[in-house]
Amino acid sequence: MRDRRAALLWVGFAVAAALSVALVLRRPDRLSDLHIYHGALTDLRAGRPLYGYVAPNGGPFTYPPFAALVLWPITTVPLGAVEALWLAATCAAVVAIAVPVGRALVEGSIARPSRGATGDRVPTSVSIAAVAAVLMVAAPVQSNLRFGQVSIFIVLMALLDGMAPPSRMRGVLVGVAAAIKLTPLLFVIYFLACGRYRDAARALAAFVGCAALALAVLPAESLTYWAGTVTQTSRIGNLASLGNQSVHGMLLRIGMDEESLPLIWAALVVAICALALLRAGALSRLGRPGHAAVLVGCATVAASPVSWTHHQVWTVLAAMLLVGAVGAIRRVAGALLLASMVLSLGVVLAPVSMRPGVQFLFENARAIGTVTLCVAGFGAVALTAARTHPDRAAKRGRLRIGVASVGALAFFAVQPLPAGADPTFKAYRLPDVVNSRYFFVCRGPVECARYGTDAPVTFGTRSEKTKVRVNGVVSDQVARLDYHSAPGGPPRTIPLLAAYPGVRTFSFRSATMAHGQLIAYSADGRALARYDDELTAKVRAARSEATARSPS
């Protein structure tokens, strides 16, 4: 019976992996990040600067120079073979992650089991297979497959080192992983907080050694990176987009002003990391190194300025550990967090989000869940209480925490968001006019000149899964075009582009436009036209058309 359950789960994993790989290979933009690595290193071998490379999709090489040394072999193999090997390695990494996490899940009973309960414990083989199957269908692993990302391998290295038994090599993997991608450096602070000073020293020595090796082999690239490129997070993409589920990304989507953002973000990151490390230390002392390592990993997701979907493997692991924990609250919380990591709640639940605050919660569910987990730490405080106090007191404590959390979320959900809180907003510029995805209502000077300019603004919309695009032309009387994401607050000025002689066009994207308003102004500041109901109607029509086109 038990072997059959594990076998069925492994079959499910294999089917999901095969289908995922097949779907990735069918995409015209498949493994785009892997292509960036390959293109940048090919340029480097030809004598061109590593950090000057720009891929056809606009993406640069963003990792430390040591990552270029690690990835160097991919330039010696045909790209098709690299793609196949990378996809296979990603699937293998999922299995490698599932083994320690599956074991931690079985060993992670929060409170002492009741009499006779040990016989009902899920076998380790079933737990490992379940973790692998769920990981494979979760959005972060799918994103790693789709883009050909290194994130899954960074998670594997940090996880294995974080929960490894004492040895002379413990800490080295964290240092090497941090030399490839900086976020695992938080594990060094975790080692120090737990009194694992030798592990911290080995991790730092490995990190410095790898950076020194890169400096010796690639001196110009090393100086370029550490002297400035490392701080240029804007090179990575639009940090306010929904894919960036970090605290920084969430603050950008709230619309926080540029002066206040750095200070508030830094204060929140320090508080979140301090609490997460405190909880992780408590978990480590209670004999839960797997839980502790995953919690530190979640803190890296919350604290990093950029946490794209493929970075969020840690959050999926945390959700599964919660689902396997003792206590209804933890299991429900884990199930909700896991659902947000498999589905895009902002898209799936958009039809029932009647207020901006509700939609904001849906769209930022992953970031909010990760931060909550860092603060609560799998209930590490309740863990200690459960071992030293009666069950009734522990239940009362959990009930108070649950009621307070639900009340806080409900209060936040009904609040109107400021006008600047617009996930994924971006206004396009003149170089983007050639892209038919952004400029679609008319193409070329003749067609755009005929596209109704009797009204101040003539526009069309297109709906996608996580955004709505607006493109149109303006008449000669329009001097300024503003877009309000929500009632009140400062507007966003949309650039009017002289793309063709006698024609000015514009294009921008926004999250839902459920409360959007487009206002055209004359040169003297007079409002010529306001588009709110018409904008909403066109967006609904575009969504209906997109739904009708999608396969059932």
Side-chain angles (χ1 to χ4, degrees), residues 286-310:
L286 288 168
R288 301 286 182 260
H291 290 70
V294 169
L295 184 58
V296 177
C298 287
T300 68
V301 174
S304 174
V306 186
S307 291
W308 301 126
T309 304
H310 51 76

Side-chain angles (χ1 to χ4, degrees), residues 268-332:
L268 287 174
V269 164
V270 169
I272 291 167
C273 288
L275 285 170
L277 292 171
L278 179 67
R279 306 300 193 214
L283 286 163
S284 180
R285 290 189 294 273
L286 288 168
R288 301 286 182 260
H291 290 70
V294 169
L295 184 58
V296 177
C298 287
T300 68
V301 174
S304 174
V306 186
S307 291
W308 301 126
T309 304
H310 51 76
H311 297 154
Q312 299 159 23
V313 176
W314 292 111
T315 311
V316 183
L317 301 179
M320 287 189 283
L321 290 175
L322 279 172
V323 169
V326 170
I329 291 178
R330 293 186 185 89
R331 289 178 175 175
V332 171

Side-chain angles (χ1 to χ4, degrees), residues 363-389:
E363 290 171 341
N364 294 274
R366 294 173 183 175
I368 294 170
T370 304
V371 170
T372 303
L373 186 70
C374 290
V375 173
F378 296 105
V381 174
L383 257 171
T384 307
R387 294 189 171 191
T388 57
H389 298 285

Side-chain angles (χ1 to χ4, degrees), residues 119-215:
D120 298 329
R121 194 172 68 173
V122 176
T124 303
S125 60
V126 175
S127 177
I128 292 172
V131 171
V134 173
L135 259 180
M136 181 53 67
V137 300
V141 170
Q142 291 293 309
S143 183
N144 272 274
L145 286 168
R146 173 186 170 184
F147 292 105
Q149 252 292 328
V150 300
S151 298
I152 189 79
F153 306 109
I154 301 299
V155 170
L156 175 61
M157 295 169 71
L159 177 68
L160 292 178
D161 219 7
M163 59 188 300
S167 73
R168 293 183 178 180
M169 295 300 293
R170 191 169 69 171
V172 172
L173 277 179
V174 162
V176 175
I180 299 172
K181 204 167 189 175
L182 298 178
T183 50
L185 283 175
L186 187 62
F187 278 84
V188 177
I189 303 176
Y190 163 65
F191 293 155
L192 292 172
C194 292
R196 294 165 54 176
Y197 302 117
R198 291 183 179 180
D199 295 346
R202 282 188 287 263
L204 284 176
F207 173 74
V208 173
C210 291
L213 176 61
L215 177 62

Side-chain angles (χ1 to χ4, degrees), residues 36-293:
I36 291 175
Y37 310 154
H38 190 275
L41 294 177
T42 301
D43 268 20
L44 182 62
R45 292 186 64 176
R48 289 183 285 273
L50 177 65
Y51 297 105
Y53 174 80
V54 179
N57 67 356
F61 188 85
T62 59
Y63 300 125
F66 179 72
L69 296 183
V70 174
L71 294 167
W72 193 274
I74 68 174
T75 62
T76 64
V77 182
L79 186 56
V82 172
E83 291 180 350
L85 290 171
W86 196 277
L87 290 170
T90 300
C91 295
V94 171
V95 176
I97 290 172
V99 173
V101 173
R103 290 172 178 164
L105 198 154
V106 171
E107 297 168 356
S109 298
I110 299 298
R112 290 173 293 184
S114 58
R115 294 180 181 177
T118 55
D120 298 329
R121 194 172 68 173
V122 176
T124 303
S125 60
V126 175
S127 177
I128 292 172
V131 171
V134 173
L135 259 180
M136 181 53 67
V137 300
V141 170
Q142 291 293 309
S143 183
N144 272 274
L145 286 168
R146 173 186 170 184
F147 292 105
Q149 252 292 328
V150 300
S151 298
I152 189 79
F153 306 109
I154 301 299
V155 170
L156 175 61
M157 295 169 71
L159 177 68
L160 292 178
D161 219 7
M163 59 188 300
S167 73
R168 293 183 178 180
M169 295 300 293
R170 191 169 69 171
V172 172
L173 277 179
V174 162
V176 175
I180 299 172
K181 204 167 189 175
L182 298 178
T183 50
L185 283 175
L186 187 62
F187 278 84
V188 177
I189 303 176
Y190 163 65
F191 293 155
L192 292 172
C194 292
R196 294 165 54 176
Y197 302 117
R198 291 183 179 180
D199 295 346
R202 282 188 287 263
L204 284 176
F207 173 74
V208 173
C210 291
L213 176 61
L215 177 62
V217 179
L218 302 171
E221 282 68 27
S222 295
L223 292 174
T224 298
Y225 182 80
W226 296 111
T229 303
V230 64
T231 62
Q232 296 172 3
T233 54
S234 59
R235 298 174 75 246
I236 302 173
N238 178 22
L239 303 189
S241 71
L242 283 175
N244 181 16
Q245 289 286 311
S246 66
V247 172
H248 184 248
M250 191 162 55
L251 291 176
L252 286 172
R253 289 189 287 274
I254 288 175
M256 187 164 292
D257 63 90
E258 294 182 359
E259 293 183 359
S260 304
L261 177 62
L263 183 61
I264 293 177
W265 172 64
L268 287 174
V269 164
V270 169
I272 291 167
C273 288
L275 285 170
L277 292 171
L278 179 67
R279 306 300 193 214
L283 286 163
S284 180
R285 290 189 294 273
L286 288 168
R288 301 286 182 260
H291 290 70

